[in-house]
Amino acid sequence: MLEPAHHADVVIVGAGVAGLSAAHQLTRAGVTTVVLEAAPYVGGRMSTEKVDGFRLDRIGQLLTTSYPELRHTPGLDALVLRPFVPGVLVHSDGRHHRAVEPTSPRRARGALTAARALASAPRVTPLGGPLGGPLDQARLGAALARLAATDPERLIARPELPASQALFTRGLPARTVTGFLRPLLSALLCDPDLTTSSRCADLALRSFARGRLCLPEGGAEVLPELLSAALPPGTVHTGVRVTGVSTTSVTTAEHGEVSCRAVLLATDARAAAELLPGLRVPSFHQVTVLHHAAPDAPLAEPALLLDADRSGPVAHTAVISHVDPSRAPAGRALISSTVLGPPPDERAVLAHLADLYGTSTARWESLAVHHTREAVPAMPPPHDLRRPVRLLAGLYVCGDHRETSTVQGALHSGRRAARAALADFGVAPAYGAGQLPLAA
């Protein structure tokens, strides 16, 4: 419990991953910190519901092993990532097509040379499908390899367009763009129309090409819970609603005023604007995640399955219990599917999933439907990837609405905001960088 006369150097409002990341940076530098969260749990949108032994993520954002903030953020040493198989499966014309990201630029160049030789041979018939023939696939691999090897600062300096337009300027065949890159980016950005800035899209593709898509073992909530548990005892207080902020105090509905030397807002964009009128509130992408239980897994491997044909409401789906067995009880399969929009008719979803997996869904049980209207902040061009986190001395703001709308962006914005506060205090940061284990 907070005492009415409680004091801290910094009060952080919001216990999402951005606020918890900032708290770690501040406490490691010796700055006394208090985190206040209105909800009864930490994590914000990174929450997991438990139903009959299943662990069901509310939004189910995809992570990648190449996110550097997962390695650099203190408190995540025990985080275990469960990877999908390399690449993705793309469903088109009733078939599954495998697309695998390149492992290195050299290997991609070798594949491109070999594919050109095959394409020139008169006996070779080009493959169909969304990925095209060997030459098209090699070109795709080479393009991803170049992105993987490009410094992020160079990507940020590129001309900015909506991603839907910029994809057709990369020199790749139209069927590769529409059949693979478009559904992949829609899944990574939660943006069905790809109105996102091309710079943000390039960064997302770079992360995909450099790592493996993955999920936190045990559910999305594990990541913020680990961050919270690793902070000094008494740092995080849940069930405390902040009603007002200044540079020297916050006012709470339950415990009165808490004095401090600085305030860091780490709420979502709308809540931050309610506390500080004048802050810009972005538009958002809404997301619906549907969870089903099945007696048998409809797919034999832990793969992300994309719908290239956009023939139904589901944008992507996976047998999550293959990726992370801890999310389902023994003997049952958990299938989680994402709709980039409002909740659709359940019958349309099951019919679409039956087509995507090539199996009957008559015996599937609906476990939960999670609709989040303001799930992911939109990033249309022009998008500032380094929106200011220091509003004035003693007042800072962070969250995925200040950088990229990803877990990586939220963690990094928390680190930036903490660094700005420490600079104003005249305190040197003390950042740690441990190794992050990867489940085989």
Side-chain angles (χ1 to χ4, degrees):
M1 294 289 292
L2 282 171
E3 297 296 334
H6 191 86
H7 173 84
D9 289 328
V10 178
V11 173
I12 297 176
V13 183
V17 295
L20 295 172
S21 169
H24 272 281
Q25 310 297 342
L26 292 167
T27 57
R28 287 171 68 90
V31 175
T32 59
T33 304
V34 169
V35 182
L36 306 180
E37 169 58 52
Y41 54 86
V42 300
R45 287 165 289 167
M46 292 195 72
S47 61
T48 304
E49 183 183 9
K50 288 84 170 177
V51 177
D52 297 334
F54 292 91
R55 302 177 69 86
L56 314 175
D57 284 353
R58 182 164 296 278
I59 293 182
Q61 276 185 298
L62 299 167
L63 306 183
T64 173
T65 57
S66 63
Y67 281 170
E69 289 301 314
L70 291 178
R71 297 186 299 273
H72 296 162
T73 302
L76 293 181
D77 304 48
L79 179 66
V80 177
L81 298 179
R82 289 287 179 178
F84 291 83
V85 294
V88 295
L89 288 180
V90 180
H91 184 270
S92 180
D93 294 329
R95 294 178 53 197
H96 291 165
H97 306 265
R98 182 174 300 281
V100 180
E101 74 272 25
T103 56
S104 68
R106 178 180 294 181
R107 182 174 177 181
R109 286 194 297 269
L112 181 57
T113 300
R116 283 171 174 159
L118 283 172
S120 64
R123 293 190 299 272
V124 174
T125 301
L127 297 176
L131 303 177
L135 183 58
D136 291 341
Q137 295 182 45
R139 284 172 173 160
L140 172 63
L144 290 175
R146 285 194 296 270
L147 269 178
T150 302
D151 185 90
E153 295 297 328
R154 290 186 58 190
L155 297 181
I156 294 173
R158 284 180 172 180
E160 194 174 18
L161 294 169
S164 58
Q165 298 178 25
L167 287 176
F168 290 96
T169 67
R170 304 300 190 223
L172 293 172
R175 63 180 171 183
T176 303
V177 172
T178 58
F180 172 66
L181 289 179
R182 188 180 188 94
L184 173 63
L185 276 175
S186 295
L188 297 178
L189 301 170
C190 297
D191 178 5
D193 299 319
L194 291 188
T195 57
T196 298
S197 161
S198 56
R199 295 172 181 173
C200 300
D202 283 344
L203 290 172
L205 286 176
R206 181 181 185 273
S207 294
F208 170 79
R210 290 174 65 89
R212 295 267 294 275
L213 295 177
C214 60
L215 299 171
E217 182 179 73
E221 69 176 12
V222 170
L223 196 154
E225 286 180 349
L226 285 173
L227 287 173
S228 178
L231 288 167
T235 299
V236 179
H237 301 264
T238 57
V240 180
R241 184 167 58 91
V242 173
T243 58
V245 299
S246 70
T247 57
T248 57
S249 68
V250 300
T251 303
T252 71
E254 297 80 8
H255 303 285
E257 186 176 281
V258 180
S259 63
C260 56
R261 295 172 60 194
V263 174
L264 196 160
L265 281 181
T267 65
D268 62 71
R270 190 170 300 281
E274 290 174 357
L275 290 171
L276 285 178
L279 283 182
R280 182 179 70 87
V281 178
S283 57
F284 294 86
H285 299 303
Q286 55 181 321
V287 172
T288 302
V289 180
L290 302 99
H291 300 280
H292 292 92
D296 301 298
L299 198 65
E301 58 184 343
L304 183 69
L305 177 58
L306 308 176
D307 180 21
D309 298 335
R310 306 176 79 176
S311 57
V314 175
H316 57 90
T317 181
V319 182
I320 296 297
S321 51
H322 278 343
V323 183
D324 179 8
S326 72
R327 299 193 184 207
R332 303 191 73 186
L334 171 62
I335 299 95
S336 297
S337 310
T338 298
V339 173
L340 301 178
D345 181 77
E346 174 74 6
R347 291 170 297 180
V349 171
L350 288 175
H352 193 197
L353 291 173
D355 180 54
L356 291 176
Y357 285 108
T359 188
S360 172
T361 57
R363 298 174 60 197
W364 288 20
E365 173 192 353
S366 178
L367 296 172
V369 177
H370 292 148
H371 174 237
T372 307
R373 185 172 182 82
E374 296 186 347
V376 179
M379 301 181 289
H383 181 74
D384 186 357
L385 286 160
R386 296 190 178 97
R387 291 188 66 196
V389 292
R390 181 186 186 273
L391 303 181
L392 65 155
L395 193 58
Y396 313 88
V397 61
C398 64
D400 59 1
H401 51 95
R402 310 307 290 185
E403 296 201 16
T404 59
S405 304
T406 61
V407 174
Q408 161 79 4
L411 290 169
H412 191 258
S413 74
R415 183 152 67 100
R416 279 207 300 139
R419 184 171 58 188
L422 291 174
D424 286 342
F425 289 166
V427 177
Y431 301 135
Q435 291 298 314
L436 188 66
L438 175 64

